[in-house]
Amino acid sequence: MLNKQKANGKAIGASCRHSGRSLEDCFRRNGKVAKADIFAGWKEMNEYMQSKKINEVAPPPDVKTGSLSPIADLDSSMPASQAAEASATEKAAKH
């Protein structure tokens, strides 16, 4: 079981590096995974990408659940009524 967790952490770190995410962002997104394993995978992928001259691949946009829009999540000082309005405006703009 321990080797599977370590391999999972390395895979997460490698995918973060390949997508251009910083280590800090990767740690934050994967709080239950050992930081040492994430770092090992990130570092290994970084060295591989540099040696093969591989460019980063942009990650897909984050999918948020709940009623708040990503804009409201970034600005936590925004009142709930403004956040709901921003969310509604964002949804209307998409249609």
Side-chain angles (χ1 to χ4, degrees):
M1 183 69 129
L2 184 62
N3 289 334
K4 187 175 181 180
Q5 290 173 338
K6 186 176 185 89
N8 186 41
K10 286 181 76 172
I12 290 170
S15 65
C16 283
R17 174 59 188 104
H18 190 247
S19 67
R21 295 195 193 280
S22 68
L23 268 173
E24 293 78 13
D25 189 30
C26 197
F27 292 155
R28 183 182 51 80
R29 292 170 167 268
N30 302 285
K32 295 182 180 181
V33 181
K35 289 182 178 181
D37 296 338
I38 292 174
F39 176 72
W42 195 94
K43 182 179 176 187
E44 191 174 296
M45 179 58 84
N46 185 54
E47 291 168 357
Y48 178 79
M49 289 175 68
Q50 286 180 350
S51 70
K52 302 290 183 182
K53 295 182 170 73
I54 297 173
N55 294 325
E56 297 168 348
V57 176
D62 290 339
V63 177
K64 298 285 184 181
T65 58
S67 62
L68 296 179
S69 71
I71 295 169
D73 289 344
L74 292 176
D75 187 6
S76 61
S77 64
M78 182 185 298
S81 60
Q82 283 182 334
E85 185 178 322
S87 181
T89 304
E90 184 179 297
K91 285 179 184 176
K94 289 182 181 179
H95 295 288

